[in-house]
Amino acid sequence: MNRFRIKKQRLLKWLKRAGITIVALFLLFLLLNLLFPLPDKIEYSVVITDNKGEIINAYLTSDQKWRMKTELEEISPLLRKTIIAKEDRYFYSHPGINPFAVTRAFFKNLFRMKRTSGASTITMQVARALEPRKRNIISKVIEMFRAFQLEWYYTKDEILQMYLNLVPYGGNIEGVKAASLLYFKKDPDHLSLAEITALSIIPNRPSSLVIGRNNDLITEERNRWLKKFATEKVFTAKEIEDALAEPLDAARGTVPHYLPHLSYKLKKYGSDLIKTHIDLNTQLKTEKLVEDYIRSQRLRNIKNAAVIIVDNKTHKVITYVGSSGFADTLDGGQVNGANAVRQPGSTLKPILYALCFDEGLLTPKTVVADVAVNYQGYAPENYDEKFNGYVTIEYALEHSLNIPAVKSLKHLGHDKLIQKLIQYNFRQVQKDQRKLGLSMILGGCGTTLEELTGLFSSFANEGKYIPPVYLQGDSSYNSTAVVSPAASYMINEILSKVNRPDFPLNWTATERMPKIAWKTGTSYGRRDGWSIGYNKNFTVGVWTGNFSGAGVADLSGANVATPLLFKIFNTIDYDSDEEWFTQPEDCDIRQVCSETGMIPSAHCTSLTTDHFIPLISSHQTCNNWQEVMVSPDEKISYCKSCAPESGYKKKWYKITEPDMQSWMEENRIAWQKIPEHNPDCEQIFKGNAPFITSPSNGTEYLINKKKPEPLQLVCKTASDVSKVYWYINNQFYKVANAGEKQYFIPEEGPVKISCTDDKGRNRDIKITVRYVNL
């Protein structure tokens, strides 16, 4: 009885000491874990995939390794079973260290006086890969400590995942995903038993077992392990038989490097797996079209192009071509032309007119005067340096006229356009918004092909802007109604007409081409040629030019960019039977006067139909006719103040603005003039004084001292004026016909310019002149 009690006391004492030891070791582990944190940060190769999940590009890690992350779902049951059977059959049972294997290896190595057997578990191999050291006892102890840390922080599946991501496979290949892709051109979850076994033996001898160089030796070693699996009944006899019969004809391949420009851009996002919406088939077809097309343009000194294609139904970017050839080092092929800030030319005109439609300022048939204008020194010109007189907004957009666009922007206010473009994520416009003015509508701002393609895709979505989506799972974007469905529809109708001057010359392949709407643009100096088109299916943005910024006389959006646009649509949407955009509920049709675009009055004889937005578009009645009291011989006109009691008649005259009068005179176009006003009228001096359009009031002019150029004197007058009188610094200078241009060389300093019409009405302006050495 006493012996039993003594044994029990000894057992309790031993258990107590063991418990204290275990607690002390555990506390020591916690302390060491705090002092020496686990170095578990793994850098992986950035991998880019297409819309099908296939790898289309990848990048080396900073230590020049192909180390692609294998996700848990990519670890197939066959891969898991094979690796565990070969490397660590008790992996799911031990706490990171297999004490029986350690004991066996210790005595085996001790009796043979050399290292003949290892005891590293999968967890310990991960620890060694995370923190490589020389192979000795101290290193082994550290590996054991790190193994406990790994088991403390990670699940068994996560540790196995880390092992499969870090195991070396020869050269600079690490991880089963990089190895399966480079050696077998497939994902790890598609590897066969024979392929998995062949890969599993390489880490033990990576320098002597090189796939593609030592395949016979690898096959021999693979078969030895397969037979061992058969002996241990890891796999069925049929599975082993099939694996033994499978030949090994693999060799190291290369990582695909498609989509270079977008891949490099997305790489900066910091993720190791970037899933895009790129359709590789469409991408490769477009790249070939761009390469072949630019090859044909090199004789014209046009050496590059960029293309973006957006699927309008999903808003996904399915093609992204940054240049005509990424490998072209002579012409900057590695420059991303789709993301480069360039001048947009006339490509912003559709959004301007859409905003004007929504503000009720214009409709497609609104008539404006395409004649010379001057806004405080800014005097825009049309592309062909000609004026067209009265034109509709529809005609102005079809022919991409500059002066109606500048007038419309002046009417709308350029700040409203800027704010809308900021809604479209125009970054450079947002950055420069305080510097921008009326010239922005003609290309005087900075945009990118990415931004413009996104803008035009909104016209294909009833005016709703959804930023183009580059990444799968990206839900950070919001739908923004930038313009109304009605305004969007009106723009679509105008831009889809083919009888336009920007239709490319010698283009005959339109017989079965899908119906599209498109807008071209050519920047100042002919440095950029744009063409952006869309239908219900796709929006395609095309930029052409040179990355050097060199201008080319032959470069224009119509004749260089648009043929490429048409080729792309013929390729991706050939013979499409997709229906065109339908008229939305907030858009209606009405009859208007064809001479003004306003609601017809009793005097309007020429009518046409026009789209308009109910309750928004102007309902002003046509007012281009005026009833005038004239003498019986129609040589003198009267106002109510000077009209005689009898001896006059009333006659209707069409109103012609002073700027149009000047244009008609210059072009020898007849117009109905109102007779000269009664010279005896006491109210004669109360009419409209001449308006001096040049020089611009309050402007400072710099004149070259060596070759001084004269300043131009131009004014607009009332229709009853025939002569004007110019004065410089209160000194009479010259008499001229109304609308006639005069020139003078001013003196330096402040200059007062006066213009008086033949009715005695006067206007003064002041300018400052400074002579400089230019």
Side-chain angles (χ1 to χ4, degrees):
M1 196 70 179
N2 290 333
R3 285 182 181 178
F4 178 75
R5 187 176 299 150
I6 291 171
K7 287 182 178 180
K8 184 177 180 182
Q9 288 176 350
R10 287 177 179 175
L11 178 61
L12 290 174
K13 187 181 291 186
W14 184 85
L15 289 174
K16 184 177 180 181
R17 289 175 180 174
I20 292 172
T21 302
I22 291 172
V23 171
L25 289 174
F26 179 70
L27 292 175
L28 178 62
F29 169 76
L30 293 179
L31 178 62
L32 292 174
N33 181 59
L34 188 64
L35 295 175
F36 304 101
L38 181 67
D40 56 353
K41 303 302 179 186
I42 304 172
E43 180 191 1
Y44 293 106
S45 296
V46 176
V47 174
I48 318 290
T49 62
D50 65 3
N51 59 346
K52 298 178 181 177
E54 299 294 328
I55 295 176
I56 56 177
N57 209 331
Y59 293 89
L60 290 164
T61 60
S62 60
D63 57 351
Q64 300 301 299
K65 301 285 188 181
W66 287 118
R67 189 187 300 121
M68 302 177 186
K69 186 175 183 180
T70 306
E71 301 294 342
L72 285 171
E73 59 268 18
E74 293 181 291
I75 304 176
S76 65
L78 178 62
L79 176 60
R80 184 193 309 270
K81 186 177 181 181
T82 306
I83 294 300
I84 290 175
K86 181 181 179 300
E87 295 295 330
D88 187 0
R89 69 176 64 186
Y90 301 108
F91 172 68
Y92 283 99
S93 304
H94 61 67
I97 297 173
N98 188 338
F100 301 106
V102 171
T103 304
R104 183 187 70 245
F106 174 76
F107 285 107
K108 197 171 183 179
N109 295 338
L110 179 64
F111 290 135
R112 298 188 182 183
M113 300 302 291
K114 63 179 181 178
R115 185 180 182 277
T116 60
S117 176
S120 293
T121 62
I122 286 177
T123 310
M124 292 173 67
Q125 292 183 59
V126 172
R128 184 164 61 245
L130 288 172
E131 200 173 26
R133 295 174 180 273
K134 289 184 178 181
R135 306 291 288 273
N136 53 42
I137 296 298
I138 297 176
S139 297
K140 185 63 68 175
V141 173
I142 295 174
E143 283 178 20
M144 292 180 180
F145 169 66
R146 295 302 191 192
F148 284 129
Q149 284 184 301
L150 284 166
E151 296 282 346
W152 178 263
Y153 286 110
Y154 296 98
T155 66
K156 286 290 186 179
D157 286 343
E158 289 172 337
I159 294 172
L160 179 62
Q161 179 189 15
M162 293 174 74
Y163 171 80
L164 291 173
N165 285 329
L166 292 170
V167 62
Y169 286 104
N172 65 340
I173 300 175
E174 290 186 4
V176 69
K177 185 166 186 174
S180 62
L181 178 69
L182 287 166
Y183 291 135
F184 298 107
K185 297 179 176 59
K186 59 178 70 174
D187 289 328
D189 55 348
H190 288 77
L191 292 172
S192 66
L193 174 59
E195 291 167 340
I196 294 171
T197 307
L199 284 177
S200 69
I201 63 176
I202 293 175
N204 299 326
R205 296 159 57 189
S207 59
S208 59
L209 296 178
V210 180
I211 292 182
R213 188 189 306 166
N214 311 110
N215 283 8
D216 292 340
L217 188 59
I218 295 172
T219 302
E220 181 182 336
E221 187 69 10
R222 178 202 71 179
N223 292 344
R224 184 176 72 81
W225 272 99
L226 287 170
K227 291 173 183 177
K228 187 176 180 180
F229 292 155
T231 303
E232 297 173 353
K233 300 187 181 304
V234 177
F235 300 100
T236 65
K238 182 67 170 66
E239 289 173 324
I240 297 296
E241 181 184 352
D242 292 341
L244 288 170
E246 186 175 320
L248 180 63
D249 54 4
R252 176 164 178 164
T254 57
V255 174
H257 288 292
Y258 303 120
L259 195 72
H261 295 94
L262 183 59
S263 296
Y264 184 78
K265 176 183 176 179
L266 298 178
K267 177 185 175 224
K268 299 177 182 178
Y269 284 17
S271 174
D272 48 54
L273 179 60
I274 298 173
K275 300 178 180 180
T276 73
H277 295 293
I278 294 298
D279 184 311
L280 188 57
N281 183 45
T282 305
Q283 174 76 23
L284 296 179
K285 284 182 180 179
T286 307
E287 285 181 4
K288 186 69 167 60
L289 281 173
V290 172
E291 182 182 2
D292 293 345
Y293 183 74
I294 290 301
R295 186 182 298 115
S296 69
Q297 299 297 312
R298 288 184 181 274
L299 292 175
R300 303 165 73 180
N301 203 33
I302 300 168
K303 301 175 181 178
N304 248 303
V307 175
I308 293 178
I309 302 177
V310 176
D311 185 324
N312 287 332
K313 295 180 179 178
T314 62
H315 317 293
K316 299 173 182 176
V317 176
I318 62 171
T319 295
Y320 190 104
V321 181
S323 71
S324 60
F326 188 77
D328 182 4
T329 57
L330 293 177
D331 296 309
Q334 295 184 6
V335 174
N336 186 354
N339 192 40
V341 177
R342 317 287 296 196
Q343 288 188 346
S346 297
T347 55
L348 297 180
K349 290 175 182 175
I351 184 63
L352 165 66
Y353 289 126
L355 294 175
C356 289
F357 293 161
D358 279 337
E359 290 287 330
L361 303 176
L362 302 171
T363 63
K365 293 295 174 62
T366 298
V367 175
V368 295
D370 177 27
V371 294
V373 293
N374 190 304
Y375 296 109
Q376 295 184 336
Y378 176 55
E381 293 182 339
N382 288 323
Y383 185 76
D384 58 4
E385 299 182 354
K386 297 179 181 178
F387 303 113
N388 297 274
Y390 287 124
V391 296
T392 63
I393 293 299
E394 182 179 61
Y395 182 94
L397 182 53
E398 287 175 7
H399 291 71
S400 197
L401 299 180
N402 291 341
I403 292 172
V406 174
K407 283 186 171 182
S408 299
L409 182 57
K410 178 70 174 177
H411 199 184
L412 175 72
H414 70 277
D415 286 336
K416 288 185 179 180
L417 177 61
I418 290 172
Q419 293 307 312
K420 286 295 181 181
L421 293 179
I422 291 174
Q423 283 186 269
Y424 279 110
N425 294 327
F426 276 51
R427 297 183 300 274
Q428 194 64 35
V429 169
Q430 184 174 17
K431 181 179 178 181
D432 298 336
Q433 57 182 303
R434 294 183 179 179
K435 306 176 185 176
L436 301 177
L438 296 178
S439 65
M440 66 179 296
I441 197 58
L442 307 184
C445 60
T447 61
T448 67
L449 183 62
E450 294 175 351
E451 295 165 349
L452 287 172
T453 306
L455 185 156
F456 277 82
S457 69
S458 67
F459 291 122
N461 289 281
E462 296 188 324
K464 293 189 292 291
Y465 173 65
I466 299 177
V469 183
Y470 292 90
L471 301 177
Q472 295 182 28
D474 183 4
S475 58
S476 60
Y477 58 85
N478 294 312
S479 173
T480 305
V482 182
V483 297
S484 68
S488 181
Y489 175 75
M490 294 180 203
I491 295 297
N492 296 345
E493 290 298 291
I494 296 172
L495 295 182
S496 60
K497 296 181 179 180
V498 297
N499 187 23
R500 291 159 44 178
D502 61 350
F503 193 89
L505 301 173
N506 303 321
W507 179 263
T508 58
T510 58
E511 182 179 350
R512 302 181 70 182
M513 179 179 162
K515 183 177 181 180
I516 65 170
W518 83 98
K519 182 69 184 77
T520 62
T522 306
S523 69
Y524 178 76
R526 295 179 179 265
R527 295 180 175 89
D528 309 278
W530 306 84
S531 191
I532 302 164
Y534 59 92
N535 58 14
K536 279 200 167 184
N537 293 329
F538 303 104
T539 297
V540 179
V542 174
W543 169 87
T544 55
N546 295 306
F547 291 141
S548 65
V552 180
D554 288 343
L555 179 61
S556 72
N559 292 325
V560 178
T562 301
L564 179 56
L565 175 78
F566 286 4
K567 286 175 182 287
I568 292 170
F569 263 108
N570 262 348
T571 300
I572 66 174
D573 206 26
Y574 180 71
D575 197 23
S576 172
D577 56 359
E578 180 76 26
E579 64 178 13
W580 190 243
F581 303 99
T582 56
Q583 183 173 316
E585 293 182 358
D586 63 339
C587 182
D588 208 342
I589 298 176
R590 67 185 180 187
Q591 278 196 328
V592 295
C593 173
S594 63
E595 295 179 357
T596 62
M598 298 179 180
I599 302 297
S601 67
H603 300 279
C604 297
T605 57
S606 178
L607 305 181
T608 186
T609 58
D610 187 19
H611 288 102
F612 76 107
I613 306 176
L615 304 179
I616 299 294
S617 299
S618 172
H619 282 70
Q620 184 178 355
T621 303
C622 182
N623 57 4
N624 71 327
W625 286 87
Q626 176 183 357
E627 189 179 43
V628 180
M629 294 178 287
V630 296
S631 59
D633 59 2
E634 299 181 6
K635 290 184 178 180
I636 296 176
S637 62
Y638 304 103
C639 63
K640 293 180 179 179
S641 299
C642 66
E645 294 183 3
S646 61
Y648 69 90
K649 63 180 182 178
K650 294 182 179 180
K651 183 177 180 180
W652 286 91
Y653 287 86
K654 185 180 293 186
I655 299 174
T656 304
E657 295 84 357
D659 52 358
M660 277 300 300
Q661 295 175 19
S662 300
W663 180 80
M664 289 180 171
E665 290 286 355
E666 291 176 2
N667 289 271
R668 298 181 180 179
I669 297 175
W671 55 282
Q672 192 177 24
K673 298 180 181 180
I674 297 177
E676 181 181 355
H677 195 74
N678 180 12
D680 299 325
C681 179
E682 295 180 356
Q683 299 293 323
I684 193 169
F685 296 106
K686 296 183 181 180
N688 293 325
F691 180 76
I692 301 174
T693 59
S694 177
S696 180
N697 189 27
T699 304
E700 181 182 42
Y701 289 85
L702 303 181
I703 298 180
N704 191 341
K705 283 184 178 181
K706 296 181 179 179
K707 295 181 179 179
E709 294 186 2
L711 295 183
Q712 187 182 71
L713 296 173
V714 182
C715 70
K716 294 179 181 179
T717 63
S719 59
D720 58 350
V721 174
S722 58
K723 298 286 185 182
V724 294
Y725 305 86
W726 291 99
Y727 296 82
I728 309 297
N729 288 330
N730 298 321
Q731 298 293 320
F732 176 73
Y733 175 65
K734 189 175 288 187
V735 62
N737 294 323
E740 185 180 353
K741 298 175 182 177
Q742 301 295 323
Y743 297 88
F744 80 108
I745 298 179
E747 297 178 354
E748 189 168 17
V751 178
K752 177 184 176 182
I753 300 173
S754 306
C755 182
T756 304
D757 64 20
D758 53 11
K759 304 299 184 290
R761 296 169 294 207
N762 181 74
R763 178 90 61 182
D764 298 329
I765 66 168
K766 291 182 179 181
I767 64 172
T768 302
V769 176
R770 189 153 55 92
Y771 281 83
V772 295
N773 292 315
L774 298 176

